[in-house]
Amino acid sequence: MSLYQYERSGDAQKLIGLLKRSDNAEVRRRAAEALGRLEEHDDRDDIINALVQTASDDDTDAVVAATIDALDEQGQDALEKLMTTMANVDLDDDAADWVKAKAFVRALDAEIPELRMAAANALGELDESDAVPKLTAVFDDSDPRVRARAARATGQISDPRATNPLESLLTDPKAGVRREAAEALGRISNRQALQALLSLYDDDDERVRRIAVSAFGNFDNDRPVDPLINALGDDTSTVRRTAVFSLIELLSNVPTEKSHEIRETVVEQLSETDDATVVEPLVEILRESTQAAQRRNTAWLLGRVMDDQGNHDAIEALVDALAEGGQMTQQFAATSLAEIGGNHVERKLLEIAEDPDAESNARGHAVFTLGKVGDKQTGQRLEKLLDDTEDEQVRKKAFSALSKLGGHNASP
């Protein structure tokens, strides 16, 4: 059986055997990662003991780092066992968190870098803000793994006092350190932290760029618009998609009085970008987001950045939003469908308009939009709808639509 199959079947003993005895460092690393994911397992004690032993004895940095992460996934007690074993730190089960934090802070000065890594991990889990100055003090550790773990821990604690020290790590020669510093600043998300991230949208490391671009959605002003637009031209699809998500988040966060101006700027820039790069993530947001502000901004944008009436996925998503969204989302979806137009849009709108079981507000929006995109044949179907329906909202919208299409001269 393969390592993947051992993990899938939950065979901890086989994974422990690979961790202890494989001559291949990559196999040992993957075995450690798999063991970390076997939470609440019957062999949990054996798993923790094997991981602690490997962290103490293995001579490959990547394997040691993976075992520490695995112990972290297994829980705080697993990290405490590692510290007890490797640093002779005596921690009672009933010790208060601040007592444990003091012990882990002492371990930040340990000679063994793996212990310093584990101590940083544990302090992040404890979420003790008093540990922040000690964690930032090891940002100049000689081992980049320690610097990275300390940065991660300050992000978990999210104390603004770490902002300046984290900013200094954004130029670290190791991409892994820059990634953790960027992630931590994104978690802190105060004005200074976000401002510091603006310089990273063109970092050499793709993951650093992605983390920075993801954090730009937390701004409440238009400062990240240009970097986000630039990120839409990134060489990697993950960064481009993240930029679209952040643009939508940004539109949801900026003050109402600024949102229109920023939307217009975004539309102008997005219109010059490859259609698929923008439209596909927007469709995903519209279908999957549960936040009303995100959905209505996405619905509004879609109709203004699409240059292809044949993108049926986008049209279907807008039609679904028109049928099932909140009132503002329905309204924005309707305006976008009117912007897109075309035969497919017309057919989908008629389906909603003529469906007696559809929600009244959705039918009304569909009928009103048909007045903007329909033709003579559409007018004939709306004439029939007007004669058949008893829904007053639909009737009122049908009269309005017919007046635009040159039909039915009666008044409601």
Side-chain angles (χ1 to χ4, degrees):
M1 292 178 70
S2 67
L3 190 151
Y4 169 75
Q5 289 170 318
Y6 290 147
E7 179 181 2
R8 188 173 181 181
S9 64
D11 195 333
Q13 295 304 325
K14 292 290 187 182
L15 291 170
I16 289 171
L18 290 174
L19 179 66
K20 289 183 174 181
R21 291 183 285 276
S22 176
D23 293 331
N24 187 319
E26 178 62 14
V27 170
R28 299 197 304 276
R29 183 188 69 79
R30 290 176 55 208
E33 290 178 345
L35 286 167
R37 291 189 286 266
L38 295 181
E39 300 177 42
E40 299 183 6
H41 196 280
D42 290 342
D43 294 335
R44 185 171 184 270
D45 288 344
D46 290 345
I47 291 171
I48 292 174
N49 289 334
L51 289 169
V52 169
Q53 181 181 342
T54 301
S56 304
D57 299 341
D58 204 284
D59 56 4
T60 301
D61 287 348
V63 177
V64 172
T67 60
I68 291 174
D69 283 342
L71 287 164
D72 196 359
E73 288 191 58
Q74 285 292 330
Q76 189 74 3
D77 63 317
L79 282 176
E80 291 172 8
K81 184 174 181 63
L82 175 67
M83 300 300 295
T84 301
T85 301
M86 294 183 70
N88 291 323
V89 175
D90 187 16
L91 293 172
D92 295 332
D93 291 339
D94 297 330
D97 283 351
W98 69 268
V99 174
K100 295 178 181 179
K102 288 183 67 174
F104 290 131
V105 163
R106 290 198 301 273
L108 288 173
D109 296 324
E111 292 184 9
I112 303 171
E114 288 76 25
L115 274 178
R116 302 198 296 275
M117 291 168 61
N121 277 18
L123 287 168
E125 292 292 332
L126 284 173
D127 196 15
E128 287 285 329
S129 59
D130 288 345
V132 167
K134 296 295 184 181
L135 285 165
T136 58
V138 299
F139 281 2
D140 60 356
D141 195 282
S142 60
D143 193 310
R145 297 173 302 164
V146 178
R147 300 198 297 273
R149 298 310 171 90
R152 181 189 299 179
T154 59
Q156 289 174 285
I157 299 171
S158 296
D159 190 310
R161 289 177 297 171
T163 305
N164 275 335
L166 283 167
E167 190 172 351
S168 72
L169 291 182
L170 296 180
T171 56
D172 195 279
K174 294 293 185 179
V177 178
R178 298 199 302 276
R179 286 197 298 271
E180 295 292 355
E183 189 84 61
L185 287 167
R187 287 190 174 202
I188 293 172
S189 283
N190 60 14
R191 187 179 297 273
Q192 181 185 350
L194 293 173
Q195 185 68 28
L197 291 173
L198 286 176
S199 63
L200 294 183
Y201 76 91
D202 59 353
D203 191 273
D204 292 339
D205 186 89
E206 174 265 326
R207 284 175 289 181
V208 174
R209 298 197 303 276
R210 177 175 53 77
I211 290 168
V213 167
S214 178
F216 292 167
N218 295 326
F219 275 74
D220 60 359
N221 57 58
D222 61 357
R223 292 298 301 275
V225 171
D226 287 342
L228 282 171
I229 297 300
N230 287 330
L232 291 172
D234 196 272
D235 292 337
T236 61
S237 61
T238 54
V239 175
R240 295 195 299 269
R241 290 173 63 81
T242 302
V244 176
F245 278 84
S246 285
L247 280 167
I248 294 299
E249 187 68 22
L250 178 68
L251 291 175
S252 304
N253 288 334
V254 295
T256 304
E257 62 271 17
K258 283 191 171 184
S259 62
H260 179 72
E261 177 185 349
I262 294 176
R263 276 203 302 267
E264 294 296 336
T265 301
V266 169
V267 168
E268 181 181 350
Q269 298 288 347
L270 291 184
S271 298
E272 301 174 4
T273 306
D274 177 63
D275 192 54
T277 297
V278 176
V279 172
E280 289 178 10
L282 287 176
V283 170
E284 183 179 344
I285 296 169
L286 186 56
R287 287 195 183 282
E288 298 183 8
S289 177
T290 58
Q291 297 183 31
Q294 284 187 357
R295 297 194 74 222
R296 63 174 176 259
N297 281 317
T298 304
W300 186 89
L301 271 178
L302 261 176
R304 289 151 182 83
V305 300
M306 281 180 60
D307 57 11
D308 180 9
Q309 292 181 355
N311 192 321
H312 287 188
D313 283 346
I315 293 171
E316 294 286 344
L318 285 167
V319 169
D320 289 343
L322 178 64
E324 302 172 4
Q327 184 173 353
M328 289 295 292
T329 301
Q330 288 178 322
Q331 181 178 328
F332 286 169
T335 61
S336 282
L337 287 166
E339 290 279 344
I340 297 167
N343 292 334
H344 186 65
V345 167
E346 190 175 350
R347 285 195 300 272
K348 300 304 292 187
L349 289 173
L350 281 168
E351 287 178 11
I352 296 176
E354 295 173 340
D355 181 1
D357 295 326
E359 191 251 340
S360 180
N361 202 41
R363 295 180 73 195
H365 279 302
V367 170
F368 183 79
T369 307
L370 282 166
K372 297 182 178 182
V373 302
D375 55 17
K376 183 177 180 180
Q377 186 176 4
T378 302
Q380 293 172 351
R381 292 176 69 168
L382 289 180
E383 290 267 10
K384 184 176 186 306
L385 177 64
L386 190 58
D387 292 337
D388 293 344
T389 187
E390 296 181 0
D391 188 311
E392 287 303 317
Q393 182 172 355
V394 173
R395 288 178 59 82
K396 181 177 179 180
K397 297 292 184 182
F399 274 111
S400 176
L402 284 166
S403 69
K404 292 182 175 64
L405 295 174
H408 210 291
N409 295 319
S411 57

